[in-house]
Amino acid sequence: MAALCGLAMAWEARPAAAQGKLEAQYEATLSGIPVGRGAWNIDIQDDVFSAAASGGTTGILKSFAGGSGTGASQGRVVNGALVASAYQASTTTSKKTEEIHITLDKGNVKEFGIIPEPPVDPDRIVVTDAHRRGVFDPMTASLVRVPGNGDPLSPEACHGSAPVFDGRMRYELKLDFKRMETVKAEKGYHGPVVVCSLYFVPVAGYIPDRPVIKYLAAQRNIEIAFAPVAGTRILVPFWLKVPTPLGPAMLEATSFITTAQPPRVAKTQ
């Protein structure tokens, strides 16, 4: 669940339509019981973009498995496309703190590292240099651009797949259109979302016998709903539902405030 919440999606690095901002708050529940809260801020300008998320465990879960984490991505808007140049993530539990960084150039990983360096496991499928080319980092991967001139909230948003590298694993995320719905956040957005089936396909960097990997790869009932960032053709997750042996896990926006930003006027003499 933690992996999927951080991964979300990413598809084609196509031109953004304009500029917009999102300030959102999310709540995670397990069988209806609150277990975590987080925040997500996205800022898309005419030449640069940034996205940052933070969160932590709450309620019963915090009492015996407390943890927190942050993630961020920055990059340029080149010919309208969101092109990440850097990704950072940090997770802290009662046992340790781990930091991940990735440097990218046009979708290719130039450098990455995990601190502290994880031990080598002979059962882990090796990530090759080829696996780190033509990929998205997890945060930029959360920004789904729908091509064309029509309404971005359409079945076309659920077409395609995304190659993702998170510093440890290389995997594919695939979507299929499921339905349209209407949502209402406690604060902010009230309107339609497009609901997609989400499929997780591990490629490298994982241990095949790990139960959680087997479980997620076999799942055919994971759903994700996308809502728009105002003024753009970018969609971001509004909620994510994952079946688990302990009951349904859900990450859902409680506040989803998005505003369009007019393009900056070029300076003249």
Side-chain angles (χ1 to χ4, degrees):
M1 177 62 180
L4 281 174
C5 289
L7 313 176
M9 321 272 85
W11 318 104
E12 302 173 49
R14 295 184 180 227
Q19 292 78 49
K21 296 183 75 170
L22 171 69
E23 296 179 347
Q25 302 285 330
Y26 291 81
E27 181 177 68
T29 59
L30 182 62
S31 292
I33 300 173
V35 294
R37 288 194 181 94
W40 197 2
N41 294 320
I42 298 171
D43 188 358
I44 302 171
Q45 300 290 335
D46 58 351
D47 54 356
V48 295
F49 79 95
S50 63
S54 62
T57 54
T58 60
I60 295 175
L61 186 61
K62 189 174 184 178
S63 64
F64 63 89
S68 61
T70 61
S73 180
Q74 309 86 34
R76 299 177 60 207
V77 180
V78 181
N79 295 324
L82 305 181
V83 182
S85 57
Y87 168 79
Q88 311 87 32
S90 176
T91 57
T92 299
T93 66
S94 58
K95 295 182 179 180
K96 68 173 183 177
T97 294
E98 180 179 85
E99 296 183 355
I100 297 175
H101 70 272
I102 304 173
T103 302
L104 303 106
D105 180 19
K106 300 176 183 177
N108 299 318
V109 175
K110 306 303 291 183
E111 192 269 337
F112 72 99
I114 303 176
I115 301 174
E117 187 173 342
V120 176
D121 193 316
D123 295 327
R124 189 179 299 276
I125 296 176
V126 175
V127 178
T128 67
D129 288 342
H131 288 139
R132 293 189 287 267
R133 290 197 289 269
V135 298
F136 294 93
D137 69 87
M139 185 62 66
T140 308
S142 304
L143 310 178
V144 179
R145 199 268 175 180
V146 182
N149 298 315
D151 188 348
L153 284 169
S154 65
E156 284 68 31
C158 297
H159 292 168
S161 63
V164 184
F165 177 68
D166 65 4
R168 179 181 279 108
M169 284 184 60
R170 166 70 170 81
Y171 49 87
E172 299 279 338
L173 294 171
K174 299 182 178 182
L175 295 178
D176 275 329
F177 173 72
K178 204 153 191 187
R179 63 186 180 275
M180 301 296 297
E181 283 188 3
T182 298
V183 297
K184 184 177 182 180
E186 295 175 10
K187 186 176 182 182
Y189 187 71
H190 179 194
V193 293
V194 56
V195 180
C196 315
S197 295
L198 170 63
Y199 307 106
F200 170 73
V201 182
V203 175
Y206 67 99
I207 299 174
D209 288 337
R210 284 274 172 87
V212 67
I213 295 293
K214 289 183 175 181
Y215 182 84
L216 289 174
Q219 275 301 312
R220 294 297 177 265
N221 295 313
I222 300 174
E223 293 184 348
I224 188 165
F226 290 99
V229 176
T232 78
R233 299 192 63 80
I234 301 294
L235 307 181
V236 300
F238 186 89
W239 57 250
L240 170 69
K241 298 178 181 178
V242 183
T244 81
L246 300 177
M250 185 164 184
L251 182 72
E252 184 173 19
T254 55
S255 175
F256 196 94
I257 300 173
T258 176
T259 54
Q261 302 180 95
R264 288 184 299 184
V265 178
K267 294 182 178 179
T268 58
Q269 294 292 336

